[in-house]
Amino acid sequence: MNAMDLYVVAYVVGGPVADETGQDHLAVVDAAEAVVKAATATLAAKVLHALGFRSTQLADGDTATRLSFWSQHELNAVYERVGGVVTSRTVHRAYDGETTVDTEITLTVVLPGIATVQLTTDWYEPYGGHDLPLMRAITALAA
């Protein structure tokens, strides 16, 4: 959520703000931010529960509807539990001034009554797994 989103939420919750630097405005924005954080935490807990996880806390960098995984094996375990649509794409990433070319695997899952969620990982060849159901789904999609 960016500053403009917070301002819109604050406007809806507290009405128009006459003085953007006043303490009343800051209190409204703080209240709106707290509401958004609570709603995000609730959504994240529902998503994680629906995906079969015990924890209801998001990892750093994740959002309630976009989660990242360490390996294709972890992502495959979720795919086998809940299904979904698997895609892959080539991505260019920069780390410490060096650019790498990676294959990103994305699993899109519709959780009825909750949200549509994207789960991602990068293919890591040393971990293997070409025979995983997740990888067979990508191959079938390409054919």
Side-chain angles (χ1 to χ4, degrees), residues 3-22:
M4 186 59 171
D5 294 333
L6 285 175
Y7 183 80
V8 170
V9 171
Y11 184 86
V12 170
V13 172
V17 178
D19 180 8
E20 291 187 19
T21 60

Side-chain angles (χ1 to χ4, degrees), residues 42-63:
T42 300
L43 178 59
K46 287 179 182 180
V47 165
L48 292 169
H49 179 73
L51 294 174
F53 294 102
R54 292 183 182 174
S55 173
T56 59
Q57 298 295 315
L58 293 173
D60 287 342
D62 286 348
T63 69

Side-chain angles (χ1 to χ4, degrees), residues 58-120:
L58 293 173
D60 287 342
D62 286 348
T63 69
T65 58
R66 186 155 173 88
L67 307 171
S68 58
F69 290 80
W70 281 104
S71 76
Q72 55 266 26
H73 294 280
E74 290 177 333
L75 187 58
N76 184 71
V78 176
Y79 176 69
E80 288 184 313
R81 276 196 306 270
V82 299
V85 177
V86 185
T87 58
S88 67
R89 67 185 182 128
T90 301
V91 295
H92 299 268
R93 295 206 168 89
Y95 298 106
D96 296 328
E98 182 178 319
T99 301
T100 62
V101 177
D102 299 309
T103 301
E104 181 182 83
I105 305 165
T106 301
L107 172 61
T108 303
V109 180
V110 177
L111 302 173
I114 301 172
T116 299
V117 183
Q118 289 188 328
L119 315 169
T120 64

Side-chain angles (χ1 to χ4, degrees), residues 27-38:
V28 169
V29 171
D30 287 345
E33 187 175 35
V35 168
V36 170
K37 281 184 179 181

